[in-house]
Amino acid sequence: MAPSPPTVDDVNAARDRLDGLVVRTPARAYPALDRLVHARGAVGTAVVVKHENLQHTGAFKVRGALNLVQRGRDVSRGIVAYSTGNHAQALAYAAARAGLPCTIVMPRNPNPVKERAVRDHGAEVVLHGTDLAAAASHAHEIARRRGARLVSAGDEPELVAGVATATLELLEQEPHLDTLVVPVGGGSGAAAACLVTAALAPHVEVVGVQSAAAPAAHDSWRAGALRTRPSRTRAEGLAVGCGFALTQQVLRDRLRDFLLVDDDAITRAQHAYLTAARTVAEGAGAAALAAVMSHPERFAGRRVAVVCSGGNAREEELRRALTCDAAGSAA
Ligand SMILES: *Cc1c(COP(=O)(O)O)cnc(C)c1O
């Protein structure tokens, strides 16, 4: 049984808890970015970027981690998590602030930017397995042995409630949105966006985006049942191989649409962020913009917020983005 999703009261409580601990990230428009999406066929689209790449630890996930740790339920014996990076960084950061031990299991060959950051926050890093599923079972084992709290990547109401504070902010910053596009891995960010818009701005449609090279959440949503899928995307923030019950339940009720983009489209969106918005997005962070660039007609004439969810790109990833064929074969 999945735990119940958070309520709007839980989200408001999270906002109070996070006051002064998280960055109120900017929501910005860029004429050059609008020109670029217009040129691709998104006629009349106005794009607003919600800059969670400028959040502490360089990704939105720290909102959830701080909410979970500050609330303090079952964490006294420490925290264990499995992650390709940003979930790990977020929990390591939050645990360090609270003086709690933190152990992170990462699949081998992690993004070095993220691994370094986790260690810099004082967490123990265990490299295990070649994918998130293998890391997950090892993390469960460590948590069981130590009596520590295992923090899942998807089925954690406190993470969803914390992450949802980004949507609260965005609705204040941009009261006239038509569409909110959110990248999806485990689905906490998209579920959070769905819960907040349903309660406070029901006219806003929420659209999820996944890499076609790791479509587990997308396929679970379309099937109405949890699915496991291969995860071969370069965007490690989206490299999740299964649907999660809690987030899927929310997405099923409320997500308007779920799009797939290929990894090269994500790289072109990273290029667009670098050149048109002068900002660094990691692959997962660029997926929402990639959806607008890849499905322009879907967003024509709309005021669209894209969540730039993280900025922790590897050097080789930035090099690829800067040298890619930005027009793309499909343009
Ligand atoms: C984790 C992550 C995602 C996916 O978020 P979920 O809440 O797992 O769906 C998207 N972008 C970045 C940068 C991430 O770190």
Side-chain angles (χ1 to χ4, degrees):
M1 262 272 296
S4 302
T7 64
V8 169
D9 287 345
D10 296 328
V11 178
N12 284 321
R15 165 177 262 195
D16 291 344
R17 215 172 272 132
L18 298 186
D19 188 35
L21 297 179
V22 297
V23 179
R24 183 181 167 89
T25 57
R28 289 204 187 123
Y30 300 89
L33 201 53
D34 280 351
R35 271 199 301 279
L36 190 146
V37 302
H38 297 168
R40 295 186 74 92
V43 181
T45 302
V47 175
V48 175
V49 179
K50 177 62 171 163
H51 275 286
E52 288 293 297
N53 57 329
L54 304 181
Q55 187 53 263
H56 293 312
T57 74
F60 75 100
K61 285 198 179 73
V62 80
R63 294 175 184 266
L66 283 165
N67 187 48
L68 183 143
V69 168
Q70 294 289 322
R71 182 156 182 243
R73 194 169 54 85
D74 301 334
V75 297
S76 59
R77 300 183 68 178
I79 284 171
V80 178
Y82 54 94
S83 167
T84 56
N86 283 335
H87 182 53
Q89 259 194 93
L91 286 166
Y93 178 90
R97 282 197 70 103
L100 292 171
C102 178
T103 299
I104 302 294
V105 185
M106 302 177 99
R108 285 183 205 290
N109 189 27
N111 174 330
V113 176
K114 296 178 178 178
E115 182 192 2
R116 178 79 256 156
V118 171
R119 293 189 196 274
D120 284 348
H121 294 309
E124 177 193 7
V125 175
V126 178
L127 298 179
H128 184 92
T130 55
D131 61 15
L132 205 53
S137 60
H138 195 59
H140 276 277
E141 173 59 27
I142 293 174
R144 195 185 53 73
R145 270 203 318 265
R146 297 185 187 167
R149 167 113 183 241
L150 190 282
V151 183
S152 152
D155 279 342
E156 298 281 358
E158 290 163 313
L159 296 186
V160 175
V163 163
T165 61
T167 308
L168 284 183
E169 278 176 21
L170 176 64
L171 293 179
E172 288 172 8
Q173 293 165 317
E174 288 293 328
H176 302 298
L177 280 184
D178 298 310
T179 306
L180 170 53
V181 189
V182 188
V184 179
S188 67
C194 284
L195 290 167
V196 171
T197 55
L200 303 178
H203 57 282
V204 175
E205 58 165 8
V206 180
V207 175
V209 183
Q210 242 184 347
S211 166
H218 169 273
D219 290 3
S220 298
W221 185 75
R222 298 245 174 240
L226 299 185
R227 294 284 187 260
T228 300
R229 289 288 181 267
S231 167
R232 302 192 182 100
T233 175
R234 291 194 296 263
E236 70 269 351
L238 306 180
V240 178
C242 60
F244 287 90
L246 167 66
T247 52
Q248 283 292 329
Q249 175 193 331
V250 176
L251 299 182
R252 206 168 297 142
D253 288 348
R254 171 66 196 156
L255 191 74
R256 177 70 59 83
D257 201 357
F258 206 145
L259 303 174
L260 292 175
V261 293
D262 64 38
D263 277 13
D264 289 342
I266 288 176
T267 297
R268 288 194 291 276
Q270 288 178 281
H271 181 276
Y273 271 130
L274 286 167
T275 56
R278 308 279 154 192
T279 200
V280 172
E282 62 183 278
L289 179 60
V292 177
M293 291 167 63
S294 299
H295 302 271
E297 62 299 328
R298 169 75 181 71
F299 299 96
R302 300 187 152 260
R303 189 163 186 81
V304 179
V306 291
V307 178
C308 182
S309 50
N312 296 313
R314 314 175 187 231
E315 224 176 290
E316 74 201 40
E317 193 182 344
L318 291 175
R319 221 172 274 124
R320 184 186 294 118
L322 279 170
T323 54
C324 74
D325 170 15
S329 48

